[in-house]
Coordinates of all heavy atoms in Angstrom, one line a residue:
W1 N -41.3 -83.3 -60.1 CA -41.4 -84.7 -59.8 C -41.4 -85.5 -61.1 O -41.1 -86.7 -61.1 CB -42.7 -85.0 -59.0 CG -42.7 -84.5 -57.6 CD1 -43.3 -83.4 -57.1 CD2 -42.0 -85.1 -56.5 NE1 -43.0 -83.3 -55.8 CE2 -42.2 -84.4 -55.4 CE3 -41.2 -86.3 -56.4 CZ2 -41.7 -84.7 -54.1 CZ3 -40.7 -86.6 -55.2 CH2 -41.0 -85.8 -54.1
S2 N -41.8 -84.9 -62.2 CA -41.9 -85.6 -63.5 C -40.6 -85.6 -64.2 O -40.5 -86.3 -65.2 CB -43.0 -85.1 -64.3 OG -42.8 -83.7 -64.6
F3 N -39.6 -84.8 -63.8 CA -38.3 -84.8 -64.5 C -37.7 -86.1 -64.5 O -37.8 -86.9 -63.6 CB -37.4 -83.8 -63.8 CG -36.0 -83.7 -64.3 CD1 -35.8 -83.0 -65.5 CD2 -35.0 -84.3 -63.7 CE1 -34.5 -83.0 -66.0 CE2 -33.7 -84.2 -64.1 CZ -33.5 -83.5 -65.3
N4 N -36.9 -86.4 -65.6 CA -36.2 -87.7 -65.7 C -37.0 -88.9 -65.6 O -36.7 -89.8 -64.8 CB -35.0 -87.7 -64.8 CG -34.0 -88.7 -65.1 OD1 -33.9 -89.3 -66.2 ND2 -33.1 -89.0 -64.1
E5 N -38.2 -88.9 -66.3 CA -39.1 -90.0 -66.3 C -39.6 -90.4 -64.9 O -39.7 -91.5 -64.5 CB -38.5 -91.3 -66.9 CG -38.2 -91.0 -68.4 CD -37.6 -92.2 -69.1 OE1 -37.4 -93.3 -68.5 OE2 -37.2 -92.1 -70.3
S6 N -39.8 -89.3 -64.1 CA -40.4 -89.5 -62.7 C -39.4 -90.3 -61.8 O -39.9 -90.9 -60.8 CB -41.7 -90.1 -62.7 OG -42.6 -89.3 -63.5
A7 N -38.1 -90.2 -62.0 CA -37.2 -90.9 -61.1 C -37.3 -90.5 -59.7 O -37.2 -91.4 -58.8 CB -35.8 -90.6 -61.6
A8 N -37.6 -89.3 -59.4 CA -37.7 -88.8 -58.0 C -39.0 -89.5 -57.3 O -38.9 -89.8 -56.1 CB -37.9 -87.3 -57.9
V9 N -40.0 -89.7 -58.1 CA -41.2 -90.4 -57.6 C -40.9 -91.8 -57.2 O -41.3 -92.3 -56.1 CB -42.4 -90.3 -58.6 CG1 -43.6 -91.2 -58.0 CG2 -42.8 -88.9 -58.8
Y10 N -40.1 -92.5 -58.0 CA -39.7 -93.8 -57.7 C -38.8 -93.9 -56.5 O -38.9 -94.8 -55.7 CB -39.1 -94.5 -59.0 CG -40.2 -94.8 -60.0 CD1 -40.2 -94.0 -61.2 CD2 -41.1 -95.8 -59.8 CE1 -41.2 -94.2 -62.1 CE2 -42.1 -96.0 -60.8 CZ -42.2 -95.2 -61.9 OH -43.1 -95.4 -62.9
R11 N -37.9 -92.9 -56.4 CA -37.0 -92.9 -55.2 C -37.9 -92.7 -54.0 O -37.6 -93.3 -52.9 CB -36.0 -91.8 -55.3 CG -34.9 -92.1 -56.3 CD -33.6 -91.2 -56.2 NE -33.9 -89.8 -56.2 CZ -34.0 -89.0 -57.2 NH1 -33.7 -89.5 -58.4 NH2 -34.3 -87.7 -57.1
L12 N -38.9 -91.8 -54.1 CA -39.8 -91.5 -52.9 C -40.5 -92.8 -52.6 O -40.6 -93.1 -51.4 CB -40.7 -90.4 -53.2 CG -41.7 -90.1 -52.1 CD1 -41.0 -89.6 -50.9 CD2 -42.7 -89.0 -52.6
I13 N -41.0 -93.5 -53.5 CA -41.8 -94.8 -53.2 C -40.8 -95.8 -52.6 O -41.2 -96.4 -51.6 CB -42.4 -95.3 -54.5 CG1 -43.5 -94.4 -55.0 CG2 -42.9 -96.8 -54.3 CD1 -44.1 -94.7 -56.4
D14 N -39.6 -95.8 -53.0 CA -38.6 -96.7 -52.4 C -38.4 -96.3 -50.9 O -38.4 -97.2 -50.0 CB -37.3 -96.7 -53.1 CG -37.3 -97.4 -54.4 OD1 -38.2 -98.2 -54.7 OD2 -36.3 -97.1 -55.2
E15 N -38.4 -95.1 -50.6 CA -38.2 -94.6 -49.3 C -39.5 -94.9 -48.5 O -39.4 -95.3 -47.3 CB -37.9 -93.1 -49.2 CG -36.6 -92.7 -49.7 CD -35.5 -93.2 -48.8 OE1 -35.6 -93.2 -47.6 OE2 -34.5 -93.7 -49.4
M16 N -40.6 -94.7 -49.1 CA -41.9 -95.0 -48.4 C -42.0 -96.5 -48.0 O -42.6 -96.8 -47.0 CB -43.1 -94.6 -49.2 CG -43.2 -93.1 -49.4 SD -44.4 -92.7 -50.7 CE -46.0 -93.2 -50.0
E17 N -41.4 -97.4 -48.8 CA -41.5 -98.8 -48.6 C -40.6 -99.3 -47.5 O -40.7 -100.4 -47.0 CB -41.3 -99.6 -49.9 CG -42.4 -99.4 -50.9 CD -42.2 -100.1 -52.2 OE1 -41.0 -100.3 -52.5 OE2 -43.1 -100.4 -52.9
K18 N -39.6 -98.5 -47.1 CA -38.6 -99.0 -46.1 C -39.4 -99.1 -44.8 O -40.2 -98.3 -44.4 CB -37.5 -97.9 -45.9 CG -36.6 -97.9 -47.1 CD -35.4 -96.9 -46.8 CE -34.5 -96.9 -48.0 NZ -33.4 -95.9 -47.8
T19 N -39.1 -100.2 -44.1 CA -39.9 -100.6 -42.9 C -40.0 -99.4 -41.9 O -41.1 -99.1 -41.4 CB -39.2 -101.8 -42.2 OG1 -39.2 -102.9 -43.2 CG2 -40.0 -102.2 -41.0
E20 N -38.9 -98.8 -41.6 CA -38.9 -97.7 -40.6 C -39.7 -96.5 -41.0 O -40.3 -95.8 -40.2 CB -37.4 -97.2 -40.3 CG -36.7 -96.6 -41.4 CD -35.9 -97.6 -42.3 OE1 -36.2 -98.8 -42.2 OE2 -35.0 -97.1 -43.1
N21 N -39.9 -96.3 -42.3 CA -40.7 -95.2 -42.8 C -42.2 -95.7 -42.9 O -43.1 -94.9 -42.6 CB -40.2 -94.7 -44.2 CG -38.8 -94.1 -44.1 OD1 -38.4 -93.7 -43.0 ND2 -38.1 -94.1 -45.1
R22 N -42.4 -96.9 -43.4 CA -43.7 -97.4 -43.6 C -44.5 -97.5 -42.3 O -45.7 -97.1 -42.3 CB -43.6 -98.8 -44.3 CG -45.0 -99.5 -44.5 CD -44.8 -100.9 -45.0 NE -43.9 -101.7 -44.2 CZ -44.1 -102.3 -43.0 NH1 -45.3 -102.1 -42.4 NH2 -43.2 -103.0 -42.4
K23 N -43.9 -97.9 -41.3 CA -44.5 -98.0 -40.0 C -45.1 -96.6 -39.6 O -46.2 -96.6 -39.0 CB -43.6 -98.4 -38.9 CG -43.2 -99.9 -39.0 CD -42.3 -100.2 -37.8 CE -41.9 -101.7 -37.8 NZ -41.0 -102.0 -36.7
V24 N -44.4 -95.6 -39.8 CA -44.9 -94.2 -39.4 C -45.9 -93.7 -40.4 O -47.0 -93.1 -40.0 CB -43.7 -93.3 -39.2 CG1 -44.2 -91.8 -38.9 CG2 -42.8 -93.7 -38.2
L25 N -45.7 -93.9 -41.7 CA -46.6 -93.4 -42.7 C -47.9 -94.1 -42.8 O -49.0 -93.5 -43.0 CB -45.9 -93.4 -44.0 CG -44.7 -92.5 -44.2 CD1 -44.1 -92.7 -45.5 CD2 -45.1 -91.0 -44.0
F26 N -47.9 -95.4 -42.6 CA -49.1 -96.3 -42.8 C -49.5 -97.1 -41.6 O -50.5 -97.8 -41.6 CB -48.8 -97.2 -44.0 CG -48.4 -96.6 -45.2 CD1 -47.1 -96.6 -45.7 CD2 -49.4 -95.9 -46.0 CE1 -46.7 -95.9 -46.8 CE2 -49.0 -95.2 -47.2 CZ -47.7 -95.3 -47.6
G27 N -48.7 -97.0 -40.5 CA -49.0 -97.8 -39.3 C -48.3 -99.1 -39.3 O -47.9 -99.7 -40.4
A28 N -48.0 -99.6 -38.1 CA -47.3 -100.9 -38.0 C -48.2 -102.0 -38.4 O -49.4 -102.0 -38.2 CB -46.9 -101.1 -36.6
G29 N -47.6 -103.0 -39.0 CA -48.3 -104.2 -39.5 C -48.6 -105.1 -38.3 O -48.2 -104.9 -37.2
E30 N -49.3 -106.2 -38.5 CA -49.7 -107.1 -37.5 C -48.4 -107.7 -36.9 O -47.5 -108.2 -37.7 CB -50.5 -108.3 -38.1 CG -50.9 -109.3 -37.1 CD -52.4 -109.5 -37.0 OE1 -53.1 -108.8 -37.7 OE2 -52.8 -110.4 -36.3
G31 N -48.3 -107.7 -35.6 CA -47.1 -108.2 -35.0 C -45.9 -107.3 -35.0 O -44.8 -107.7 -34.4
E32 N -46.0 -106.1 -35.5 CA -44.9 -105.2 -35.5 C -45.0 -104.2 -34.4 O -46.2 -103.8 -34.1 CB -44.8 -104.4 -36.9 CG -44.4 -105.3 -38.1 CD -44.3 -104.4 -39.3 OE1 -45.0 -103.5 -39.5 OE2 -43.4 -104.7 -40.1
N33 N -43.9 -103.7 -33.9 CA -44.0 -102.6 -33.0 C -43.9 -101.3 -33.8 O -43.3 -101.2 -34.8 CB -42.8 -102.7 -32.0 CG -42.9 -103.9 -31.1 OD1 -44.0 -104.3 -30.8 ND2 -41.7 -104.5 -30.8
T34 N -44.4 -100.2 -33.2 CA -44.2 -98.9 -33.8 C -42.8 -98.5 -33.6 O -42.1 -98.9 -32.8 CB -45.2 -97.8 -33.2 OG1 -44.9 -97.8 -31.8 CG2 -46.6 -98.2 -33.4
S35 N -42.4 -97.5 -34.5 CA -41.0 -97.1 -34.5 C -40.7 -96.1 -33.4 O -39.5 -95.9 -33.0 CB -40.6 -96.6 -35.8 OG -41.2 -95.3 -36.1
G36 N -41.7 -95.3 -33.0 CA -41.5 -94.3 -32.0 C -41.0 -93.0 -32.6 O -40.8 -92.0 -31.9
E37 N -40.8 -92.9 -33.9 CA -40.4 -91.7 -34.6 C -41.7 -90.9 -34.9 O -42.7 -91.4 -35.1 CB -39.7 -92.0 -35.9 CG -38.2 -92.4 -35.7 CD -37.5 -92.5 -37.0 OE1 -37.8 -93.4 -37.8 OE2 -36.7 -91.7 -37.2
T38 N -41.4 -89.6 -35.1 CA -42.5 -88.7 -35.5 C -42.6 -88.7 -37.1 O -41.6 -89.0 -37.7 CB -42.4 -87.3 -35.1 OG1 -41.2 -86.7 -35.7 CG2 -42.2 -87.2 -33.6
K39 N -43.8 -88.4 -37.6 CA -44.0 -88.3 -39.0 C -43.1 -87.2 -39.6 O -42.5 -87.4 -40.7 CB -45.4 -88.0 -39.3 CG -45.8 -88.1 -40.8 CD -47.3 -88.0 -41.0 CE -47.6 -88.1 -42.5 NZ -49.1 -88.0 -42.7
T40 N -42.9 -86.1 -38.9 CA -42.0 -85.1 -39.4 C -40.6 -85.5 -39.6 O -40.0 -85.2 -40.6 CB -42.1 -83.9 -38.4 OG1 -43.4 -83.4 -38.3 CG2 -41.2 -82.7 -38.8
K41 N -40.1 -86.3 -38.6 CA -38.7 -86.8 -38.7 C -38.6 -87.8 -39.9 O -37.6 -87.7 -40.6 CB -38.3 -87.5 -37.4 CG -38.0 -86.6 -36.3 CD -36.8 -85.9 -36.5 CE -36.5 -85.0 -35.3 NZ -35.4 -84.0 -35.5
V42 N -39.6 -88.6 -40.1 CA -39.5 -89.5 -41.2 C -39.6 -88.8 -42.6 O -38.8 -89.0 -43.5 CB -40.7 -90.5 -41.1 CG1 -40.8 -91.3 -42.4 CG2 -40.5 -91.5 -40.0
L43 N -40.4 -87.8 -42.7 CA -40.5 -87.0 -43.9 C -39.2 -86.2 -44.1 O -38.8 -86.1 -45.3 CB -41.7 -86.0 -43.8 CG -43.1 -86.7 -43.9 CD1 -44.2 -85.7 -43.5 CD2 -43.4 -87.2 -45.2
Q44 N -38.6 -85.7 -43.1 CA -37.3 -85.0 -43.2 C -36.3 -86.0 -43.8 O -35.5 -85.6 -44.7 CB -36.8 -84.4 -41.9 CG -37.6 -83.2 -41.5 CD -37.3 -82.8 -40.1 OE1 -36.8 -83.5 -39.3 NE2 -37.6 -81.5 -39.8
R45 N -36.2 -87.2 -43.2 CA -35.2 -88.2 -43.7 C -35.5 -88.6 -45.1 O -34.6 -88.7 -45.9 CB -35.3 -89.4 -42.8 CG -34.3 -90.5 -43.2 CD -34.3 -91.7 -42.2 NE -35.6 -92.3 -42.0 CZ -36.2 -92.5 -40.8 NH1 -35.6 -92.1 -39.7 NH2 -37.4 -93.1 -40.7
M46 N -36.8 -88.7 -45.5 CA -37.1 -89.1 -46.9 C -36.8 -87.9 -47.8 O -36.2 -88.1 -48.9 CB -38.6 -89.4 -47.0 CG -38.9 -90.8 -46.3 SD -40.6 -91.3 -46.2 CE -41.4 -90.4 -47.5
A47 N -37.0 -86.7 -47.4 CA -36.7 -85.5 -48.2 C -35.2 -85.4 -48.5 O -34.8 -85.2 -49.6 CB -37.2 -84.2 -47.6
K48 N -34.4 -85.7 -47.5 CA -33.0 -85.7 -47.6 C -32.5 -86.8 -48.5 O -31.5 -86.6 -49.3 CB -32.3 -85.8 -46.2 CG -30.9 -85.6 -46.2 CD -30.3 -85.6 -44.8 CE -28.8 -85.3 -44.8 NZ -28.3 -85.3 -43.4
A49 N -33.1 -87.9 -48.5 CA -32.7 -89.0 -49.4 C -33.1 -88.8 -50.8 O -32.4 -89.1 -51.7 CB -33.4 -90.3 -48.8
V50 N -34.3 -88.2 -51.0 CA -34.8 -88.0 -52.4 C -34.2 -86.8 -53.1 O -33.9 -86.8 -54.2 CB -36.4 -88.0 -52.4 CG1 -36.9 -87.6 -53.8 CG2 -36.9 -89.3 -51.9
W51 N -34.1 -85.7 -52.4 CA -33.7 -84.4 -52.9 C -32.5 -83.9 -52.0 O -32.7 -82.8 -51.4 CB -34.8 -83.4 -52.9 CG -36.0 -83.7 -53.8 CD1 -37.2 -84.2 -53.4 CD2 -36.0 -83.7 -55.2 NE1 -38.0 -84.4 -54.4 CE2 -37.3 -84.1 -55.6 CE3 -35.1 -83.4 -56.2 CZ2 -37.7 -84.2 -56.9 CZ3 -35.5 -83.4 -57.5 CH2 -36.8 -83.8 -57.9
P52 N -31.4 -84.5 -52.0 CA -30.3 -84.1 -51.1 C -29.8 -82.7 -51.3 O -29.5 -81.9 -50.4 CB -29.2 -85.1 -51.3 CG -29.5 -85.8 -52.5 CD -31.0 -85.7 -52.7
D53 N -29.7 -82.3 -52.6 CA -29.2 -80.9 -52.9 C -30.2 -79.8 -52.5 O -29.8 -78.8 -51.9 CB -28.9 -80.8 -54.4 CG -27.7 -81.7 -54.8 OD1 -26.9 -82.0 -53.9 OD2 -27.7 -82.1 -56.0
F54 N -31.5 -80.1 -52.8 CA -32.5 -79.1 -52.4 C -32.6 -79.1 -50.8 O -32.9 -78.0 -50.3 CB -33.8 -79.4 -53.0 CG -33.8 -79.2 -54.5 CD1 -34.2 -80.3 -55.4 CD2 -33.5 -78.0 -55.1 CE1 -34.2 -80.1 -56.7 CE2 -33.5 -77.8 -56.4 CZ -33.8 -78.9 -57.3
Y55 N -32.5 -80.2 -50.2 CA -32.6 -80.3 -48.8 C -31.5 -79.4 -48.1 O -31.8 -78.8 -47.1 CB -32.5 -81.8 -48.3 CG -32.9 -82.0 -46.8 CD1 -34.2 -82.0 -46.4 CD2 -31.9 -82.1 -45.9 CE1 -34.5 -82.2 -45.1 CE2 -32.2 -82.2 -44.5 CZ -33.5 -82.3 -44.2 OH -33.8 -82.5 -42.8
K56 N -30.3 -79.4 -48.6 CA -29.3 -78.6 -48.1 C -29.6 -77.1 -48.2 O -29.3 -76.3 -47.3 CB -28.0 -78.8 -48.8 CG -27.3 -80.2 -48.5 CD -26.1 -80.3 -49.4 CE -25.6 -81.7 -49.3 NZ -24.5 -82.0 -50.3
I57 N -30.3 -76.7 -49.2 CA -30.7 -75.3 -49.4 C -31.8 -74.9 -48.5 O -31.7 -73.8 -47.9 CB -31.0 -75.1 -50.9 CG1 -29.8 -75.3 -51.8 CG2 -31.6 -73.7 -51.1 CD1 -30.2 -75.4 -53.3
N58 N -32.9 -75.7 -48.5 CA -34.0 -75.4 -47.6 C -34.7 -76.6 -47.2 O -35.5 -77.2 -47.9 CB -35.0 -74.5 -48.4 CG -36.0 -73.8 -47.5 OD1 -36.5 -74.4 -46.6 ND2 -36.3 -72.5 -47.8
E59 N -34.4 -77.0 -46.0 CA -35.0 -78.3 -45.4 C -36.5 -78.2 -45.3 O -37.2 -79.2 -45.6 CB -34.4 -78.5 -44.0 CG -33.0 -78.7 -43.9 CD -32.4 -78.8 -42.5 OE1 -33.3 -79.0 -41.6 OE2 -31.2 -78.8 -42.3
G60 N -37.0 -77.1 -44.9 CA -38.5 -76.9 -44.6 C -39.3 -77.1 -45.9 O -40.3 -77.8 -45.9
I61 N -38.9 -76.4 -46.9 CA -39.7 -76.4 -48.2 C -39.6 -77.8 -48.8 O -40.6 -78.4 -49.3 CB -39.2 -75.3 -49.2 CG1 -39.6 -74.0 -48.7 CG2 -39.7 -75.6 -50.6 CD1 -39.1 -72.8 -49.6
T62 N -38.4 -78.4 -48.8 CA -38.2 -79.7 -49.4 C -39.0 -80.7 -48.6 O -39.7 -81.6 -49.3 CB -36.7 -80.1 -49.4 OG1 -35.9 -79.1 -50.0 CG2 -36.5 -81.4 -50.1
T63 N -39.1 -80.7 -47.3 CA -39.9 -81.6 -46.5 C -41.3 -81.4 -46.8 O -42.1 -82.4 -46.9 CB -39.6 -81.4 -45.0 OG1 -38.2 -81.6 -44.8 CG2 -40.4 -82.4 -44.2
R64 N -41.8 -80.2 -46.9 CA -43.2 -79.9 -47.2 C -43.6 -80.5 -48.6 O -44.7 -81.0 -48.8 CB -43.5 -78.4 -47.2 CG -43.7 -78.0 -45.7 CD -44.3 -76.6 -45.6 NE -43.5 -75.5 -46.3 CZ -42.5 -74.9 -45.7 NH1 -42.1 -75.2 -44.5 NH2 -41.9 -73.9 -46.4
R65 N -42.7 -80.4 -49.6 CA -43.0 -80.9 -50.9 C -43.0 -82.4 -50.9 O -43.9 -83.0 -51.5 CB -41.9 -80.5 -51.9 CG -41.8 -79.0 -52.1 CD -42.8 -78.4 -53.0 NE -42.9 -77.0 -53.0 CZ -42.4 -76.2 -53.9 NH1 -41.7 -76.7 -54.9 NH2 -42.5 -74.9 -53.8
V66 N -42.2 -83.0 -50.1 CA -42.2 -84.5 -50.0 C -43.5 -84.9 -49.3 O -44.2 -85.9 -49.7 CB -41.0 -85.0 -49.3 CG1 -41.1 -86.5 -48.8 CG2 -39.8 -84.9 -50.2
K67 N -43.9 -84.2 -48.2 CA -45.1 -84.5 -47.5 C -46.3 -84.4 -48.5 O -47.2 -85.3 -48.5 CB -45.3 -83.6 -46.4 CG -46.6 -83.8 -45.6 CD -46.8 -82.8 -44.5 CE -48.1 -83.0 -43.8 NZ -48.5 -82.0 -42.9
S68 N -46.3 -83.4 -49.3 CA -47.4 -83.2 -50.2 C -47.5 -84.3 -51.2 O -48.6 -84.8 -51.6 CB -47.3 -81.8 -50.9 OG -48.3 -81.7 -51.9
K69 N -46.3 -84.7 -51.7 CA -46.3 -85.8 -52.7 C -46.7 -87.2 -52.1 O -47.4 -87.9 -52.7 CB -44.9 -85.9 -53.4 CG -44.9 -86.8 -54.6 CD -45.8 -86.3 -55.7 CE -45.7 -87.1 -56.9 NZ -46.6 -86.6 -58.0
V70 N -46.3 -87.4 -50.9 CA -46.7 -88.6 -50.2 C -48.2 -88.7 -50.0 O -48.8 -89.7 -50.3 CB -46.0 -88.7 -48.8 CG1 -46.6 -89.8 -47.9 CG2 -44.5 -89.0 -49.0
E71 N -48.8 -87.6 -49.6 CA -50.2 -87.5 -49.4 C -50.9 -87.7 -50.8 O -52.0 -88.4 -50.9 CB -50.6 -86.2 -48.8 CG -50.2 -86.1 -47.3 CD -50.4 -84.7 -46.7 OE1 -50.7 -83.8 -47.5 OE2 -50.1 -84.6 -45.5
S72 N -50.4 -87.1 -51.8 CA -51.0 -87.3 -53.2 C -50.9 -88.7 -53.6 O -51.9 -89.2 -54.2 CB -50.2 -86.4 -54.2 OG -50.6 -86.6 -55.5
L73 N -49.8 -89.4 -53.4 CA -49.7 -90.8 -53.8 C -50.6 -91.7 -53.1 O -51.2 -92.6 -53.6 CB -48.2 -91.2 -53.6 CG -47.2 -90.7 -54.6 CD1 -45.8 -91.0 -54.1 CD2 -47.4 -91.2 -56.0
K74 N -50.8 -91.4 -51.8 CA -51.7 -92.2 -50.9 C -53.1 -92.0 -51.4 O -53.9 -92.9 -51.5 CB -51.5 -91.8 -49.5 CG -50.2 -92.3 -48.8 CD -50.0 -91.7 -47.5 CE -50.9 -92.1 -46.4 NZ -50.5 -91.6 -45.0
R75 N -53.5 -90.7 -51.7 CA -54.8 -90.4 -52.2 C -55.1 -91.1 -53.5 O -56.2 -91.7 -53.7 CB -55.0 -88.9 -52.3 CG -56.4 -88.4 -52.6 CD -56.5 -86.9 -52.6 NE -55.4 -86.2 -53.2 CZ -54.5 -85.5 -52.5 NH1 -54.5 -85.4 -51.2 NH2 -53.5 -84.9 -53.2
D76 N -54.2 -91.1 -54.4 CA -54.3 -91.7 -55.7 C -54.4 -93.2 -55.6 O -55.2 -93.9 -56.3 CB -53.2 -91.3 -56.7 CG -53.2 -89.9 -57.1 OD1 -54.2 -89.2 -56.9 OD2 -52.1 -89.4 -57.6
Y77 N -53.6 -93.8 -54.7 CA -53.7 -95.2 -54.5 C -55.0 -95.7 -54.0 O -55.6 -96.6 -54.4 CB -52.6 -95.6 -53.5 CG -52.6 -97.1 -53.1 CD1 -52.0 -98.0 -54.0 CD2 -53.2 -97.5 -51.9 CE1 -52.0 -99.4 -53.6 CE2 -53.2 -98.8 -51.6 CZ -52.6 -99.8 -52.5 OH -52.7 -101.1 -52.1
R78 N -55.5 -94.9 -53.0 CA -56.9 -95.2 -52.4 C -58.0 -95.1 -53.5 O -58.9 -96.0 -53.5 CB -57.2 -94.3 -51.2 CG -56.4 -94.6 -50.0 CD -56.8 -93.8 -48.8 NE -55.9 -94.0 -47.7 CZ -55.1 -93.0 -47.2 NH1 -55.2 -91.8 -47.7 NH2 -54.3 -93.3 -46.2
A79 N -57.9 -94.2 -54.3 CA -58.9 -94.0 -55.4 C -58.8 -95.2 -56.4 O -59.9 -95.7 -56.8 CB -58.6 -92.7 -56.2
Q80 N -57.7 -95.7 -56.7 CA -57.5 -96.8 -57.6 C -58.0 -98.1 -56.9 O -58.7 -98.9 -57.5 CB -56.1 -97.0 -58.0 CG -55.6 -95.9 -58.9 CD -56.4 -95.7 -60.2 OE1 -56.8 -96.7 -60.8 NE2 -56.7 -94.5 -60.5
V81 N -57.7 -98.3 -55.6 CA -58.2 -99.4 -54.9 C -59.7 -99.4 -54.9 O -60.4 -100.4 -55.0 CB -57.6 -99.5 -53.5 CG1 -58.4 -100.5 -52.6 CG2 -56.2 -99.8 -53.5
K82 N -60.3 -98.2 -54.6 CA -61.8 -98.1 -54.6 C -62.4 -98.6 -55.9 O -63.4 -99.2 -56.0 CB -62.2 -96.7 -54.3 CG -63.6 -96.5 -54.0 CD -63.9 -95.1 -53.5 CE -65.3 -94.9 -53.2 NZ -65.6 -93.5 -52.7
K83 N -61.8 -98.2 -57.0 CA -62.3 -98.6 -58.4 C -62.2 -100.1 -58.5 O -63.1 -100.7 -59.1 CB -61.4 -97.9 -59.5 CG -61.7 -96.4 -59.6 CD -60.9 -95.9 -60.8 CE -61.0 -94.4 -60.9 NZ -60.1 -93.9 -61.9
L84 N -61.1 -100.7 -58.1 CA -61.0 -102.1 -58.2 C -62.0 -102.9 -57.4 O -62.3 -104.1 -57.7 CB -59.5 -102.5 -57.9 CG -58.5 -102.1 -58.8 CD1 -57.1 -102.4 -58.3 CD2 -58.6 -102.7 -60.2
H85 N -62.5 -102.3 -56.3 CA -63.4 -103.0 -55.4 C -64.8 -102.9 -55.8 O -65.7 -103.4 -55.2 CB -63.2 -102.6 -54.0 CG -62.0 -103.2 -53.4 ND1 -61.9 -104.4 -52.8 CD2 -60.7 -102.7 -53.3 CE1 -60.7 -104.7 -52.3 NE2 -60.0 -103.6 -52.6
Q86 N -65.1 -102.1 -56.9 CA -66.5 -101.9 -57.3 C -67.0 -103.2 -58.0 O -66.2 -103.9 -58.7 CB -66.6 -100.8 -58.3 CG -66.4 -99.4 -57.7 CD -66.4 -98.3 -58.7 OE1 -66.5 -98.5 -59.9 NE2 -66.4 -97.1 -58.2
T87 N -68.2 -103.5 -57.8 CA -68.8 -104.7 -58.5 C -70.1 -104.3 -59.2 O -70.6 -103.2 -59.0 CB -69.2 -105.8 -57.4 OG1 -70.1 -105.3 -56.5 CG2 -67.9 -106.3 -56.7
G88 N -70.6 -105.2 -60.0 CA -71.8 -105.0 -60.7 C -71.7 -104.4 -62.0 O -72.7 -104.2 -62.8
G89 N -70.5 -104.0 -62.5 CA -70.3 -103.4 -63.8 C -70.5 -104.4 -64.9 O -70.9 -104.0 -66.0
G90 N -70.1 -105.6 -64.6 CA -70.2 -106.6 -65.7 C -69.1 -106.4 -66.7 O -68.3 -105.5 -66.6
I91 N -69.2 -107.2 -67.8 CA -68.3 -107.1 -68.9 C -69.0 -106.4 -70.0 O -70.1 -106.8 -70.4 CB -67.7 -108.4 -69.3 CG1 -66.9 -109.1 -68.2 CG2 -66.9 -108.3 -70.5 CD1 -66.5 -110.5 -68.4
D92 N -68.4 -105.4 -70.6 CA -69.0 -104.7 -71.7 C -68.9 -105.6 -72.9 O -67.9 -106.0 -73.4 CB -68.3 -103.4 -72.0 CG -68.9 -102.5 -73.0 OD1 -70.0 -102.9 -73.5 OD2 -68.3 -101.5 -73.4
S93 N -70.1 -105.9 -73.5 CA -70.1 -106.8 -74.7 C -69.8 -106.1 -76.0 O -69.8 -106.8 -77.0 CB -71.5 -107.5 -74.7 OG -72.5 -106.5 -74.9
N94 N -69.7 -104.8 -76.0 CA -69.4 -104.1 -77.2 C -68.0 -104.2 -77.5 O -67.0 -104.0 -77.5 CB -69.9 -102.7 -77.2 CG -71.4 -102.6 -77.1 OD1 -72.1 -103.5 -77.7 ND2 -71.9 -101.6 -76.4

């Protein structure tokens, strides 16, 4: 994932942000309908888009790797949001 300045991570994030993928991964927004697709289908589509050569060799492993990275990115995002919502720390005067 870190090869070529993390280009694959940025491609994955681009895929995650697409409306049809976002709805399944994060839920439909207010006023949006669900897509009706399964998470597995979305992850397969994203794996094929991010790692087309590896996907041709082994769809299952490539999809599992993408699923793992999506979950890791979501977990890291939530941790950062939690840090930003903390209060009471004040400003360090040193």
Side-chain angles (χ1 to χ4, degrees):
W1 289 103
S2 60
F3 175 76
N4 195 18
E5 297 181 3
S6 301
V9 174
Y10 290 106
R11 286 196 309 270
L12 178 60
I13 292 169
D14 287 342
E15 288 297 316
M16 291 169 68
E17 289 177 338
K18 289 182 178 178
T19 302
E20 63 272 16
N21 298 335
R22 179 186 47 78
K23 285 181 181 182
V24 175
L25 296 173
F26 304 104
E30 181 128 355
E32 289 182 327
N33 295 324
T34 58
S35 69
E37 283 189 290
T38 65
K39 189 173 181 179
T40 300
K41 288 289 182 190
V42 169
L43 291 167
Q44 288 171 339
R45 181 174 56 235
M46 290 174 22
K48 189 175 183 179
V50 174
W51 298 106
D53 295 335
F54 293 122
Y55 189 81
K56 288 177 192 174
I57 296 168
N58 193 322
E59 297 174 13
I61 289 176
T62 308
T63 301
R64 283 192 298 276
R65 298 282 169 96
V66 166
K67 179 184 179 191
S68 176
K69 191 62 174 179
V70 166
E71 290 170 354
S72 171
L73 289 169
K74 287 168 67 174
R75 187 174 43 253
D76 292 347
Y77 176 81
R78 287 185 188 118
Q80 293 302 317
V81 167
K82 190 174 182 178
K83 286 180 186 177
L84 291 172
H85 285 275
Q86 291 179 351
T87 60
I91 298 175
D92 187 7
S93 60
N94 293 330

